[in-house]
Amino acid sequence: MAFVETDRVQIRLYVGASAIFASLWPALENAISASQSVADGGTRVDSSTETLVKGIIASLQQIDAARLNLITKFHAVKIDELTVDAVRGTAMLRSEGRVLVGRLCSTLGMRGPLHDVYSSSPPNVRGMSVYGDMFL
């Protein structure tokens, strides 16, 4: 059950990388491949790590869906008997997303994401090198 390109796209998205510049981050591409089972061309004895990564990605996609759902509720404060605090809810979802991105990065041997996908700031605002200092 090797990673297909769709899986790789999602992994790159959440760690803040792009397939267009994949040659800048060969360590990321190698980490994705290495996390697969030996039978699928990786280095792991079974597909447990790949299953974990796919589960984290699924959770991140759920967070994104919930965040987009909250956007439609920003104008509402009360719906029937339910009070909606979309701003706090969005902040909580972003925070949980960052926790999961951290777990994804740890699973792939990264110190952290290349870019915080739950932030509105542009990538590399801190001058982070795209070479080598993202991996342990």
Side-chain angles (χ1 to χ4, degrees):
M1 116 179 169
F3 287 120
V4 295
E5 184 59 21
T6 305
D7 298 324
R8 290 173 177 269
V9 167
Q10 292 299 304
I11 292 167
R12 288 185 206 109
L13 168 72
Y14 289 111
V15 300
S18 167
I20 295 170
F21 301 107
S23 63
L24 293 176
W25 303 294
L28 173 58
E29 298 301 317
N30 291 338
I32 294 169
S33 295
S35 66
Q36 299 176 131
S37 69
V38 172
D40 292 326
T43 61
R44 309 308 313 149
V45 294
D46 62 21
S47 61
S48 299
T49 304
E50 182 182 347
T51 302
L52 174 63
V53 168
K54 287 181 178 182
I56 293 169
I57 295 295
S59 296
L60 286 164
Q61 290 172 329
Q62 289 175 343
I63 286 173
D64 283 349
R67 193 177 51 80
L68 291 173
N69 186 40
L70 273 177
I71 289 173
T72 63
K73 295 173 178 56
F74 270 103
H75 64 281
V77 175
K78 196 165 193 168
I79 301 172
D80 293 328
E81 298 298 317
L82 177 67
T83 302
V84 177
D85 188 344
V87 174
R88 284 187 182 165
T90 300
M92 186 273 311
L93 288 169
R94 286 181 175 169
S95 177
E96 183 61 22
R98 288 182 179 114
V99 168
L100 290 170
V101 167
R103 289 181 183 170
L104 177 61
C105 289
S106 294
T107 303
L108 294 174
M110 299 174 66
R111 291 182 184 179
L114 294 164
H115 169 64
D116 180 3
V117 296
Y118 289 103
S119 171
S120 59
S121 63
N124 277 344
V125 294
R126 292 176 208 91
M128 181 190 305
S129 169
V130 294
Y131 302 102
D133 58 10
M134 67 179 179
F135 282 88
L136 300 173

